[in-house]
Amino acid sequence: MIKRQIIPYLKKSRLNYPILVVLGPKYSGKTELVMNEFSKSNASYVNLEDRIVLSKAKNDPAGFFKQYSFPIILDEAHRAPELLKYMPNLIDGYKGEAKIVLIGLSHPALKKFAKKEFVAVINLMPRSIAECQGKKLEEYICSGFMPNVCYSKYYSDYLEKNVEYFANISNKDYFHKFVILLAKQLGQTVKLKSLAKKIGVSSVTLSLWLNVLEDSCVIFKLPCYIDNFGKRTVKGPKVYFTDVALAAYLLGIENSRQVESHDMFESLFENMVIAEILKNSCNAGEEPKLYHLTDNHNFKIDLILHKKYVHLINITPKAHYNSAIASNLFRISEKIEKNKCLTVIYTGRHKTVAGINLRNFEDGLKFT
């Protein structure tokens, strides 16, 4: 087993919270992570994907927990949100290591429960570049960050097994078309009215479907930067895939040789890098504060990251640095009255040019 970077945060949370909620996309390694952490605790493992077990949980949630000894690990916990309201009584006055661990996707009820003061949230993303070293750039994009996963099966399983728990989608062909169009517009601001015309459903329906994709950890949204730099700023979020290889699969990329020559190569690289920075925040137990800035004249900052400092980041797969690549960083940096760091993430070697930090995409991408 590869040692996951989130383990120190998991261990700390286990000692300080009675309930842990472990969220993340399918096949990201949530169950393996938890089972290894609790391997010496004689924990009761309950998988709610089992229909008989699930039926008991739904029909008698009050009596369900009496069948098991603590600590209890509930896998696929999003399938039985009925259990959540009984959990506070189980840990009332309890002090000690985690008593209940919930593993699942980000079902709205589970996300709401995770905000309670006695709950620690572990957001487990797909493996990071540091956890999957030794690949070429094209292999990262094509084969992804969930080892030994066939993305065609991953996607079909998602459609058949998980979508139904988030929304009643009667026409999965339309839903599939929507997901394909999102991949084709990777890294662009989402215009639901335009997409609705192409698909033949309402923009309200697409808004629901977009939330379904986010709740099931297939995509994540990058909101527009909160400060207002002018009336022409584009306000909508950009959409990226949690694992870039799923986007590559949806775009019809079948092997790593097709990556660099594909029309969407730059967008796929951008997706990979932003997802990597998101992983680093999640692995440290931090709330990600990531934004984009785009206006109607194609002025943009690919990523604005709020941490101790404000980081202005542009992303390009070009190996040879050109000052034009970073020109927007200088323009916007003059308008921010905060400590800021200017960075270009690319495929070349690490160096600093005229105040711009040029960083290779494999350098860990951690920011302070």
Side-chain angles (χ1 to χ4, degrees):
M1 174 185 174
I2 294 176
K3 186 176 181 179
R4 303 300 300 270
Q5 293 177 314
I6 203 171
I7 289 176
Y9 175 63
L10 171 61
K11 290 182 178 295
K12 179 181 177 181
S13 299
R14 177 185 176 181
L15 294 174
N16 291 284
Y17 291 88
I19 298 179
L20 306 182
V21 174
V22 183
L23 304 175
K26 191 177 180 67
Y27 298 134
S28 60
K30 302 185 295 296
T31 302
E32 182 182 32
L33 177 76
V34 171
M35 295 303 287
N36 274 279
E37 177 62 25
F38 285 82
S39 61
K40 299 179 181 179
S41 301
N42 291 323
S44 300
Y45 174 76
V46 184
N47 192 339
L48 293 174
E49 194 169 31
D50 184 307
R51 291 191 177 276
I52 294 177
V53 176
L54 180 62
S55 177
K56 292 179 180 178
K58 286 181 169 293
N59 293 327
D60 183 20
F64 180 78
F65 291 99
K66 296 177 181 179
Q67 305 172 73
Y68 308 103
S69 59
F70 294 103
I72 298 174
I73 299 171
L74 288 179
D75 209 343
E76 298 283 310
H78 57 275
R79 296 174 182 269
E82 296 87 350
L83 294 173
L84 299 177
K85 69 177 182 179
Y86 295 95
M87 292 184 189
N89 292 332
L90 296 174
I91 52 94
D92 186 34
Y94 178 76
K95 294 182 180 179
E97 294 189 6
K99 193 173 183 179
I100 302 172
V101 184
L102 308 178
I103 304 172
L105 303 177
S106 300
H107 186 282
L110 199 54
K111 288 197 298 183
K112 182 179 180 181
F113 181 77
K115 294 179 181 180
K116 296 188 179 295
E117 60 181 9
F118 51 80
V119 177
V121 182
I122 315 295
N123 286 303
L124 184 65
M125 300 287 284
R127 292 178 181 178
S128 66
I129 288 176
E131 294 168 338
C132 296
Q133 286 181 339
K135 295 183 180 180
K136 296 180 179 179
L137 169 59
E138 295 81 2
E139 292 172 330
Y140 284 124
I141 291 175
C142 184
S143 60
F145 294 87
M146 295 186 281
N148 302 317
V149 168
C150 172
Y151 283 86
S152 61
K153 185 177 186 304
Y154 174 90
Y155 181 61
S156 62
D157 283 352
Y158 165 72
L159 282 178
E160 296 302 323
K161 295 181 180 180
N162 292 114
V163 167
E164 62 183 289
Y165 289 97
F166 294 91
N168 182 20
I169 297 176
S170 58
N171 194 322
K172 290 185 180 179
D173 288 338
Y174 283 168
F175 183 80
H176 171 68
K177 188 175 181 180
F178 177 53
V179 179
I180 293 286
L181 287 174
L182 286 180
K184 290 182 177 178
Q185 297 186 8
L186 192 63
Q188 299 180 30
T189 52
V190 179
K191 298 178 181 179
L192 294 180
K193 289 184 179 180
S194 175
L195 291 175
K197 291 180 181 179
K198 294 180 180 179
I199 298 170
V201 298
S202 71
S203 58
V204 174
T205 296
L206 293 192
S207 180
L208 170 65
W209 289 358
L210 194 64
N211 290 334
V212 168
L213 288 166
E214 185 176 30
D215 287 340
S216 48
C217 305
V218 170
I219 59 103
F220 64 92
K221 299 174 185 172
L222 192 69
C224 182
Y225 190 54
I226 52 179
D227 287 353
N228 185 9
F229 293 110
K231 296 180 180 179
R232 296 180 179 177
T233 302
V234 175
K235 301 297 184 182
K238 291 185 176 183
V239 169
Y240 297 94
F241 282 72
T242 305
D243 192 320
V244 66
L246 180 56
Y249 161 72
L250 293 168
L251 290 169
I253 295 175
E254 297 179 351
N255 57 67
S256 59
R257 296 188 300 275
Q258 298 174 331
V259 172
E260 191 169 0
S261 60
H262 198 278
D263 292 342
M264 296 290 293
F265 174 50
E266 291 195 16
S267 297
L268 289 165
F269 179 75
E270 180 181 314
N271 188 146
M272 183 190 73
V273 169
I274 293 176
E276 193 69 16
I277 295 170
L278 176 64
K279 293 172 197 175
N280 287 333
S281 293
C282 292
N283 288 339
E286 301 168 349
E287 180 182 356
K289 297 180 179 179
L290 284 67
Y291 311 90
H292 77 90
L293 180 63
T294 309
D295 72 10
N296 293 330
H297 298 288
N298 284 329
F299 168 80
K300 67 174 185 174
I301 302 295
D302 295 325
L303 183 65
I304 299 179
L305 169 64
H306 272 242
K307 297 200 70 164
K308 181 180 180 180
Y309 303 102
V310 176
H311 295 268
L312 306 181
I313 302 168
N314 271 347
I315 302 165
T316 175
K318 298 175 182 178
H320 301 291
Y321 171 71
N322 185 314
S323 59
I325 294 173
S327 61
N328 285 351
L329 296 178
F330 287 113
R331 286 174 60 188
I332 198 65
S333 67
E334 297 172 356
K335 300 181 181 181
I336 296 182
E337 297 178 1
K338 304 170 184 174
N339 291 326
K340 71 272 181 186
C341 302
L342 311 183
T343 303
V344 171
I345 298 172
Y346 73 143
T347 56
R349 63 184 180 86
H350 184 87
K351 58 184 176 180
T352 302
V353 177
I356 302 288
N357 179 27
L358 306 182
R359 187 183 294 201
N360 185 277
F361 75 95
E362 291 186 296
D363 284 349
L365 304 186
K366 292 185 178 180
F367 296 86
T368 58

